Amino acid sequence: GVMNDAPEQTERSLGEISERYGSLLKLVDELNCGLLITDGQGHTLYVNRRLAQWMRAEPEALLGDNRGWTLPEQAQELQAERELILGGDMRARLLALRRADGTTFPVLALPHLLDSEGAAIGLAFLMIELSTVQTARRIGEVDDTDPVLSTLRTMAMQLHQLVNIAPSMPPPVDLRHPALREISPRELEVLDLLLQGERVAAIAEQLYISDHTVRNHLKSMFRKTATASQGDLVRWVRDLA
């Protein structure tokens, strides 16, 4: 892979990433998986050779602003996902990446928060390319030489190894914490679902309220906790644990 030439602050962060996560970089290459490292704003700092091959580009060409990697209509959703990840939501994501020629391909991305002395210095995404996974062509027994079975076994092995090195979810937060005494019971219900990684639409559906009402509850909690976004609120609450 290639590291991005960047200002002094970024170079320091990249140095810390290399020092602390060098074994992870090596392991991903051995697993034949993609690896993307970004800063908190989504700018690409590092791309390994496998991911560059999937993108049909040289690693150097993929550094910097990566907004061209995804469909424009996904930009707002991806920013919300970054905030959730920075807040501790480490669930795997299914993404569609876009090449320079406009073609797309699906990947399974497992996020990993890179930090230093308690401060986030970047996000790493371990990726498995899914477009090569073959669908079953018949019902019945499959022998050991069948390419479908071979492909699925390889995928299962890669997923097992990646899940084993992925960080666990943060411990649950006690919503009875004194710092949350100004949060109303209904807001606590919204907060509980937000901490579980649910999005506005899903929260609204589960609580039988509108998306607008959920956003109003979130704005109220932002004001009470002096936070400015869902990601900030999640981080603030998790710091209480």
Side-chain angles (χ1 to χ4, degrees):
V2 175
M3 290 288 188
N4 188 17
D5 291 329
E8 181 178 348
Q9 178 67 26
T10 301
E11 290 180 351
R12 184 182 68 80
S13 296
L14 288 173
E16 294 181 21
I17 289 172
S18 296
E19 181 179 349
R20 296 188 58 193
Y21 299 94
S23 58
L24 175 62
L25 306 185
K26 184 175 182 294
L27 175 60
V28 170
D29 284 334
E30 291 177 351
L31 289 175
N32 199 29
C33 296
L35 177 63
L36 167 68
I37 295 179
T38 74
D39 60 18
Q41 289 70 49
H43 296 97
T44 303
L45 304 178
Y46 177 91
V47 174
N48 75 336
R49 292 285 176 184
R50 177 57 62 195
L51 178 55
Q53 288 174 354
W54 295 342
M55 294 294 292
R56 300 174 186 168
E58 290 298 319
E60 295 89 344
L62 300 173
L63 302 180
D65 189 347
N66 61 15
R67 284 179 294 183
W69 289 33
T70 54
L71 302 177
E73 57 267 27
Q74 293 179 323
Q76 186 173 357
E77 180 181 349
L78 290 174
Q79 178 56 40
E81 289 295 332
R82 275 195 293 273
E83 290 185 1
L84 289 172
I85 293 169
L86 288 168
D89 182 350
M90 295 298 154
R91 293 177 299 173
R93 269 77 172 173
L94 286 172
L95 304 175
L97 299 186
R98 183 174 61 171
R99 305 181 181 96
D101 62 6
T103 58
T104 62
F105 63 96
V107 297
L108 177 70
L110 285 86
H112 185 105
L113 184 63
L114 306 176
D115 59 9
S116 175
E117 300 176 355
I121 58 176
L123 295 172
F125 295 89
L126 297 161
M127 297 183 179
I128 294 177
E129 210 265 49
L130 298 179
S131 64
T132 57
V133 177
Q134 303 176 57
T135 57
R137 290 164 297 177
R138 64 178 185 274
I139 298 176
E141 294 184 357
V142 183
D143 62 44
D144 289 341
T145 62
D146 188 278
V148 174
L149 184 59
S150 176
T151 298
L152 293 177
R153 281 179 173 168
T154 299
M155 292 293 298
M157 179 186 69
Q158 291 179 334
L159 283 170
H160 176 73
Q161 291 176 289
L162 287 177
V163 169
N164 282 344
I165 63 173
S168 59
M169 287 291 289
V173 175
D174 183 2
L175 296 181
R176 297 167 299 178
H177 194 285
L180 299 174
R181 61 182 177 275
E182 294 186 10
I183 307 298
S184 73
R186 194 54 157 173
E187 289 169 352
L188 286 175
E189 290 180 329
V190 172
L191 179 59
D192 184 35
L193 291 171
L194 183 68
L195 291 168
Q196 295 176 41
E198 298 290 0
R199 299 166 181 77
V200 169
I203 294 173
E205 181 179 355
Q206 293 187 51
L207 297 182
Y208 301 99
I209 56 179
S210 69
D211 291 9
H212 178 73
T213 300
V214 173
R215 293 191 178 94
N216 283 341
H217 286 315
L218 289 171
K219 290 177 182 177
S220 174
M221 287 188 282
F222 294 162
R223 184 177 65 255
K224 294 175 181 178
T225 59
T227 55
S229 68
Q230 294 179 39
D232 287 344
L233 175 61
V234 168
R235 285 191 293 275
W236 185 86
V237 174
R238 291 206 183 281
D239 284 344
L240 299 176

